């Protein structure tokens, strides 16, 4: 009697809830921005990190430009940005980013980067240069920088702070218990110290941080992180759902409901943050211009 081998049926993935669905990227603005980035040999974190909001943001001519190449020297378990040995730092990149910002007519630009642990001060210099270039080529445009931790190097941090960005952002990403698997090479205390030191250097400057939920943290751990950020004077907090970029990344422990994001926002606001952006599709630069406006930055000349 012949044996018949029956393959187990694959369970169909559960459909996404409506509040996790984002509009597919399309439209002339989307394609124009993509062509512009390609023509100037620039990278955007929108593409490299598989951001779900790329369709909405690019439709409104808003993009987060990523400095220092497209290869990160760290291997964080949540991040879709490619990892590897990077090319030498391109010190002409700030000029090209500013050219793109000017061409798009942006009033508010968000600039981030990969980690470049091979050249901490060089990476910081590129951030300072892009701030200066944007102010030269796109007068009146305000700048938010989402910086790496520079391994806590104070001289590198000061280079960026001295360039006086309107917002200095560094994401805390997760709770201390999960740091070893979520943020390879990072330290929870180092992130808090960076934000504290930035405030010490420029007390009037606006600082910002962000955290992902759904990686296995408990609510009380999230609230402890909020308190720690508030203690170091962090002004803006973003809270968003972790979505697994691929099977090679950390699994998602659970989805938070919109109600839970509203509850986290209310708790954080009670701790003294000037603005809290909290929702399933919130990412660090999502609605960045509106976040800045809520802190009074629109009143700046």
């Amino acid at each position: 009697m012949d044996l018949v081998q029956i393959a187990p049926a694959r369970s169909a993935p559960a459909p996404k809830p409506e509040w996790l669905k984002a509009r597919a990227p399309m439209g002339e603005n989307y394609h124009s921005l993509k062509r512009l980035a390609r023509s100037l040999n620039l990278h955007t974190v929108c593409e490299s990190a598989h951001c779900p909001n790329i369709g909405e943001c690019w439709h409104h001519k808003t993009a987060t430009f990523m400095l220092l190449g497209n290869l990160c020297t760290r291997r964080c378990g949540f991040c879709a940005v490619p990892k590897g040995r990077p090319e030498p730092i391109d010190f002409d990149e700030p000029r090209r980013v500013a050219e793109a910002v000017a061409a798009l007519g942006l009033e508010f630009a968000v600039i981030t980067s990969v980690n470049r642990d091979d050249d901490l001060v060089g990476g910081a210099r590129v951030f300072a240069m892009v701030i200066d270039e944007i102010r030269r080529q796109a007068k009146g445009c305000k700048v938010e920088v989402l910086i790496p931790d520079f391994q806590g190097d104070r001289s590198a941090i000061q280079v960026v702070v001295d360039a006086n960005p309107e917002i200095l952002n560094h994401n805390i990403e997760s709770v201390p218990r999960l740091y070893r698997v979520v943020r390879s090479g990072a330290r929870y205390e180092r992130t808090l110290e960076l934000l504290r030191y930035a405030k010490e250097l420029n007390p009037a400057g606006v600082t910002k941080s962000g955290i992902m939920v759904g990686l296995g943290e408990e609510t009380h751990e999230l609230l402890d992180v909020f308190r720690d950020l508030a203690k170091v004077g962090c002004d803006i907090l973003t809270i968003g759902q972790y979505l697994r970029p691929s099977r090679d990344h950390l699994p998602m422990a659970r989805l938070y409901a919109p109600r839970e994001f509203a509850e986290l926002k209310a708790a954080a606001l009670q701790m003294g943050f000037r603005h809290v952006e909290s929702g399933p599709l919130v990412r660090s630069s999502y609605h960045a211009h509106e976040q800045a406006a809520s802190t009074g930055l629109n009143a700046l000349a």
Side-chain angles (χ1 to χ4, degrees):
M1 182 176 182
D2 294 334
L3 295 177
V4 178
Q5 192 170 22
I6 301 175
R10 290 187 178 182
S11 58
K16 283 184 179 179
E18 286 300 317
W19 36 267
L20 255 186
K21 293 179 180 178
R23 190 175 72 175
M26 63 179 66
E28 183 54 35
N29 285 350
Y30 170 82
H31 294 294
S32 295
L33 202 156
K34 192 165 188 172
R35 286 193 296 269
L36 179 64
R38 296 295 178 275
S39 69
L40 294 171
N41 192 27
L42 299 175
H43 301 285
T44 67
V45 77
C46 321
E47 295 177 289
S48 296
H50 303 172
C51 181
N53 302 313
I54 187 170
E56 177 184 352
C57 293
W58 284 28
H59 176 71
H60 294 292
K61 288 190 176 181
T62 300
T64 299
F65 291 99
M66 190 167 71
L67 300 172
L68 304 173
N70 194 40
L71 290 175
C72 188
T73 56
R74 296 189 189 173
R75 296 183 177 275
C76 297
F78 68 91
C79 184
V81 173
K83 286 78 174 168
R85 184 187 297 275
E87 297 292 327
I89 289 177
D90 177 2
F91 288 99
D92 184 58
E93 191 176 40
R95 178 193 61 78
R96 302 196 308 275
V97 168
E99 184 179 333
V101 169
L104 289 168
L106 299 184
E107 296 179 355
F108 191 91
V110 182
I111 311 296
T112 189
S113 79
V114 294
N115 279 283
R116 288 299 298 260
D117 292 328
D118 56 316
D119 189 349
L120 302 174
V121 176
R125 280 181 54 212
V126 168
F127 271 102
M129 290 168 66
V130 80
I131 294 167
D132 291 342
E133 280 287 338
I134 289 172
R135 290 188 176 140
R136 184 178 68 82
Q137 296 192 45
K139 296 187 185 302
C141 180
K142 299 177 180 66
V143 183
E144 174 181 326
V145 291
L146 170 54
I147 62 174
D149 64 16
F150 299 117
Q151 293 187 356
D153 186 298
R154 285 194 163 201
S155 61
I157 297 166
Q158 183 161 5
V159 166
V160 181
V161 175
D162 285 350
N164 200 30
E166 274 72 28
I167 295 180
L168 185 140
N169 183 357
H170 177 62
N171 285 335
I172 204 154
E173 303 290 16
S174 190
V175 301
R177 177 174 58 84
L178 300 176
Y179 248 57
R180 186 179 295 275
V181 293
V182 174
R183 293 194 70 192
S184 174
R187 301 289 183 274
Y188 180 78
E189 294 77 12
R190 185 192 292 163
T191 288
L192 290 175
E193 174 57 20
L194 184 157
L195 293 165
R196 187 206 66 77
Y197 185 53
K199 270 293 187 187
E200 177 185 309
L201 292 172
N202 182 12
V206 177
T207 55
K208 173 179 170 180
S209 194
I211 191 166
M212 301 172 293
V213 298
L215 283 160
E217 69 290 325
E218 301 290 340
T219 300
H220 70 88
E221 293 178 299
L222 289 172
L223 297 179
D224 286 343
V225 172
F226 299 171
R227 292 186 191 97
D228 287 343
L229 289 170
K231 285 177 185 175
V232 297
C234 186
D235 298 290
I236 299 173
L237 174 65
T238 61
I239 309 166
Q241 174 71 50
Y242 169 67
L243 298 174
R244 191 182 194 183
S246 77
R247 291 174 180 264
D248 296 327
H249 294 85
L250 292 173
M252 180 174 58
R254 76 175 182 95
L255 286 173
Y256 281 58
R259 170 187 55 80
E260 293 175 284
F261 283 103
E263 291 169 353
L264 290 172
K265 176 177 181 174
L269 285 172
Q270 290 180 349
M271 297 177 193
F273 292 95
R274 293 166 68 180
H275 182 88
V276 178
E277 193 83 19
S278 180
L281 292 176
V282 166
R283 297 297 180 265
S284 187
S285 58
Y286 188 54
H287 292 169
H289 188 273
E290 291 87 340
Q291 296 171 29
S294 74
T295 67
L297 279 175
N298 274 4
L300 297 177

